[in-house]
Amino acid sequence: GWDVAIKDGKVLRKYEGGIYSLSLASTHPAGGGVISSREFLDLRGLYLEGDNVPKDGLVLAMCSVDPKKDKKWFTNMPKGNSKLVRGYAFPGSGVRVTPVDGTNNLLFETVSIIELNGWIPTSVINQATSSAMIDSNKMMQAHLRKVIGK
């Protein structure tokens, strides 16, 4: 896939015809292995139209689900991989893609409000995740050029 930070992932359930989904993903280690793989169990919503969606654009909103706290909302919650640290994406995390008027360009905006958990200092996490986001954005651009053909 285009996101070089993601090691593997899968959609566990789809809701409302696929507009919403519950997905489980694990990341590659980051920062030269200083940050071990993390696992995220996320509820995602893909919006193609609506008040906060740009014309011909899309918004992907996501928030992690906690198997211990949120099991009343989701029956048969997956336990996940006990060898991985569970990360958490807070409400407000997501992506917005907007076509730029008069061009073939897209504005790709990412909001990442994530708690990686574990013992690592914030400064190390910020440095490692910043470079990972840059790499992921470069891969997204290459993927879009391939898919769109431009």
Side-chain angles (χ1 to χ4, degrees):
W2 63 267
D3 192 341
V4 294
I6 302 297
K7 182 177 179 181
D8 58 48
K10 60 184 172 183
V11 173
L12 303 174
R13 294 188 188 100
K14 290 184 179 182
Y15 305 95
E16 299 292 323
I19 294 171
Y20 303 102
S21 62
L22 183 66
S23 63
L24 184 66
S26 63
T27 64
H28 288 287
V34 174
I35 300 175
S36 63
S37 294
R38 297 299 197 258
E39 182 177 68
F40 291 87
L41 180 62
D42 295 331
L43 182 62
R44 299 170 181 227
L46 178 63
Y47 305 95
L48 301 175
E49 57 185 49
D51 291 339
N52 296 316
V53 179
K55 184 179 185 299
D56 298 325
L58 65 87
V59 171
L60 174 66
M62 56 191 249
C63 177
S64 290
V65 179
D66 186 331
K68 294 175 185 170
K69 296 178 185 173
D70 298 319
K71 62 185 174 186
K72 67 182 178 183
W73 300 102
F74 298 100
T75 57
N76 302 318
M77 182 76 73
K79 293 185 186 214
N81 186 338
S82 62
K83 295 179 183 177
L84 299 179
V85 176
R86 178 62 59 94
Y88 192 87
F90 289 93
S93 297
V95 173
R96 181 171 68 176
V97 180
T98 308
V100 178
D101 289 338
T103 71
N104 289 327
N105 297 324
L106 296 171
L107 176 61
F108 185 80
E109 300 169 280
T110 303
V111 175
S112 184
I113 312 168
I114 295 176
E115 173 61 57
L116 291 178
N117 294 317
W119 60 270
I120 300 167
T122 302
S123 60
V124 173
I125 290 173
N126 288 343
Q127 184 176 3
T129 56
S130 295
S131 62
M133 287 186 76
I134 290 168
D135 291 344
S136 289
N137 282 326
K138 287 179 182 176
M139 293 302 291
M140 168 59 101
Q141 289 173 352
H143 175 74
L144 288 173
R145 282 187 192 101
K146 180 180 172 185
V147 170
I148 297 172
K150 296 180 181 180

